[in-house]
Amino acid sequence: MKRFFIALVSFVFMTSTFAQHHNKPRVIVTTDGEIDDQSSMVRFLLYASDYDVAGIVQVNGVQKDGHSKEQWIEKQIEKYAACLTNLRKHNPDYPNASYLLNVVKVGNENREDMHKAPPLLSNSEGAELIIKTLLDNDPRPVHILAWGGANTQANALWQIKQKYSPEDWQKAVAKAHLYCIWYQDGGGNWIEENLPEIKIYEAGSPERDGGWRYVWDYMSVDHYYKNRLSKNPPELQKIMDKSWLARNIKTGHGPLCAAYPQDYTSEGDTPSFMPLINNGLEQDTDYTLGGWGGRPVYNFGNHMQDGSDDHNGKPDSHYTFQRWLTAAQNDFAARADWCVKSYKDANHPPMVKLRNDLNIQAKPGSKIQLSAKGTFDPDGDKLHYKWWQYKEADTFDGNIEIRNAGKRDASFTVPEGIKKEATIHVICEVTDNGTPQLTRYQRIVITVKP
């Protein structure tokens, strides 16, 4: 009976995931091909079922030279192809390797153009791909991720504004969402100053050393890079360290994972695609909602930088990433298992289903009932429930007390005395007891109207 149950719910899990294809976020990666980018690309390909890859564009960055001539992306996609049949046992939505190869393009890799104004750059096939994607008839947002410099996307945006109709420009503005792993050339600042309509997240600005820096990058573990200390506590350094990576990713998990080029987890670019992962937090719809990709805040116009989450009573921009790190790493390990294991021998995330609406309007003093009835695990694992207030995402400046916060069904009362409209974010976090333990979420936003 248990085997039948697992087979049934795994079918539901796989078909429901496939049915959500039209809601997938679209993504274009621009990468300078440095070793940390190559590590991030392994993970990116393992999550290619969760988003529509519209392009992979090779550019340069702070190291000045691009790496397209090495064909490292093509080599990784070849290894992805070798794992594809097994990956599709766990999720049929993984794209064909031939499709991915077709959207690999070269943008601006000229080291002399690092700080040249984008209107002065020569056109490139990478810029053409960005233009074509922003102007096509698909209305979904396009997440353009800068793992290197942003000159190529700046040039593409400039071309649309100068050479196309005002209506086309407005379409591009509405669709473009830029997530930059700080500004590695002059492109990001140029967009800010000359195309202020564009939404752009400047994550981990080097002047601040905040956010994902010292969490996800070369300083994820003490002393490995220029003897610098990590901002990660010991328990998080352990899951970023050499032994964890060797055991869970690089060894015995197929050719793609074996291609991971570093010996510890050092992926400064990975946070940029974390909002796109189908984990239930829906951060792809608005980066400022917060999630695995951090929690930016608008500091002027359409420009975002890292926010800070409360950690032991103090604001901490690193904690906006650290609070999710264990769940993200466990998920990575499960995806690596999918490369080599059968469905029944691997773990799969819970499917979190709520009985209440995800958007609720309430008055001060109202009692809000919360229920995750209908949530299930495709492998039949036991589930742990945790309801919590994501206070940093709220506009309500106060606390709520959630009753039965560790059970499937919970409740809370909206505080009295709220004088102006405010939002309260409540997260339903569900973790299974499989190996590795996997976590999924749903977010409820309560709009309080006095």
Side-chain angles (χ1 to χ4, degrees):
M1 180 62 71
K2 183 177 180 181
R3 183 176 297 176
F4 172 77
F5 170 78
I6 292 174
L8 176 63
V9 294
S10 64
F11 172 78
V12 172
F13 168 74
M14 294 175 72
T15 54
S16 63
T17 300
F18 184 76
Q20 294 172 2
H21 176 84
H22 67 284
N23 292 322
K24 286 183 180 181
R26 303 177 82 194
V27 59
I28 297 173
V29 171
T30 65
T31 170
D32 60 14
E34 294 298 318
I35 190 169
D36 61 315
D37 292 53
Q38 296 181 30
S39 296
S40 287
M41 185 59 69
V42 170
R43 192 186 302 242
F44 179 83
L45 292 172
L46 288 176
Y47 283 92
S49 58
D50 287 35
Y51 31 71
D52 283 340
V53 182
I56 302 174
V57 178
Q58 301 184 75
V59 297
N60 58 2
V62 292
Q63 305 301 328
K64 295 185 171 55
D65 292 313
H67 293 269
S68 63
K69 293 180 180 179
E70 299 167 15
Q71 295 199 317
W72 66 273
I73 296 176
E74 291 85 350
K75 293 172 184 176
Q76 283 203 13
I77 293 174
E78 180 182 355
K79 293 175 172 62
Y80 163 86
C83 302
L84 186 54
T85 298
N86 215 71
L87 285 168
R88 283 178 171 166
K89 293 177 182 178
H90 305 272
N91 189 328
D93 245 3
Y94 280 96
N96 291 330
S98 58
Y99 167 78
L100 294 175
L101 286 171
N102 190 53
V103 297
V104 175
K105 306 296 181 183
V106 178
N108 191 305
E109 291 186 304
N110 186 354
R111 62 163 43 216
E112 304 303 324
D113 291 344
M114 288 282 291
H115 296 281
K116 184 180 291 187
L120 302 178
L121 301 179
S122 299
N123 193 20
S124 66
E125 61 177 11
E128 287 294 331
L129 179 140
I130 293 171
I131 293 169
K132 180 180 178 181
T133 306
L134 289 175
L135 297 184
D136 66 20
N137 291 324
D138 189 327
R140 289 176 295 170
V142 180
H143 300 268
I144 308 175
L145 316 181
W147 296 5
N151 261 345
T152 297
Q153 45 267 58
N155 175 258
L157 291 165
W158 173 81
Q159 288 193 59
I160 295 172
K161 188 167 186 178
Q162 294 297 315
K163 300 179 181 180
Y164 293 81
S165 70
E167 292 76 18
D168 284 335
W169 173 240
Q170 289 307 313
K171 177 191 283 191
V173 167
K175 290 170 66 171
H177 291 64
L178 274 59
Y179 191 131
C180 298
I181 298 299
W182 47 282
Y183 290 165
Q184 300 186 41
D185 62 10
N189 281 321
W190 190 90
I191 292 170
E192 280 182 25
E193 295 169 4
N194 296 276
L195 305 174
E197 308 97 316
I198 300 296
K199 294 183 179 69
I200 187 166
Y201 175 17
E202 181 190 4
S205 170
E207 292 81 12
R208 300 176 66 199
D209 282 339
W212 56 267
R213 303 200 78 216
Y214 294 84
V215 176
W216 273 103
D217 61 359
Y218 294 114
M219 290 79 75
S220 65
V221 181
D222 286 343
H223 304 301
Y224 286 168
Y225 182 75
K226 297 183 179 179
N227 207 34
R228 294 178 183 175
L229 297 179
S230 176
K231 295 294 184 179
N232 288 327
E235 65 271 18
L236 293 184
Q237 291 189 44
K238 184 176 180 180
I239 62 173
M240 306 295 276
D241 212 342
K242 297 176 182 178
S243 60
W244 187 95
L245 189 70
R247 181 175 66 255
N248 290 284
I249 308 297
K250 297 185 67 171
T251 305
H253 289 88
L256 177 59
C257 293
Y260 193 100
Q262 295 169 285
D263 60 1
Y264 69 104
T265 307
S266 170
E267 304 174 30
D269 302 300
T270 289
S272 67
F273 64 88
M274 285 280 149
L276 314 183
I277 291 174
N278 185 21
N279 59 19
L281 290 169
E282 303 292 341
Q283 197 186 6
D284 65 288
T285 64
D286 180 354
Y287 296 156
T288 67
L289 289 173
W292 287 11
R295 191 186 59 80
V297 295
Y298 285 99
N299 60 336
F300 61 84
N302 287 308
H303 179 269
M304 293 167 273
Q305 283 191 329
D306 301 310
S308 294
D309 286 0
D310 180 82
H311 188 219
N312 298 325
K314 297 180 180 180
D316 186 345
S317 67
H318 301 292
Y319 188 63
T320 64
F321 294 88
Q322 290 170 332
R323 70 189 309 164
W324 314 100
L325 197 57
T326 298
Q329 285 295 84
N330 282 350
D331 215 75
F332 185 27
R335 295 290 174 124
D337 284 345
W338 290 8
C339 291
V340 293
K341 290 185 178 182
S342 66
Y343 193 95
K344 69 180 181 63
D345 290 332
N347 198 19
H348 306 85
M351 296 291 289
V352 184
K353 305 289 185 181
L354 302 187
R355 294 193 69 179
N356 44 270
D357 292 335
L358 299 182
N359 292 281
I360 298 174
Q361 292 193 1
K363 298 284 187 182
S366 301
K367 185 175 181 179
I368 307 296
Q369 300 287 347
L370 306 169
S371 177
K373 185 177 180 180
T375 295
F376 67 92
D377 188 88
D379 307 304
D381 295 331
K382 292 182 179 179
L383 298 177
H384 171 74
Y385 295 86
K386 178 182 177 183
W387 298 87
W388 54 279
Q389 179 189 6
Y390 194 178
K391 185 177 177 180
E392 295 84 0
D394 294 349
T395 60
F396 167 60
D397 185 19
N399 299 313
I400 61 171
E401 181 181 348
I402 300 177
R403 293 178 286 275
N404 298 318
K407 296 184 178 180
R408 186 195 70 183
D409 298 333
S411 65
F412 74 94
T413 300
V414 177
E416 299 279 7
I418 298 177
K419 302 299 184 183
K420 61 180 181 179
E421 183 173 317
T423 58
I424 300 172
H425 290 235
V426 174
I427 304 296
C428 178
E429 179 178 316
V430 183
T431 302
D432 69 17
N433 70 339
T435 302
Q437 292 183 312
L438 298 180
T439 302
R440 286 296 181 268
Y441 316 84
Q442 284 289 343
R443 180 198 306 262
I444 303 169
V445 180
I446 300 94
T447 301
V448 183
K449 295 188 175 183

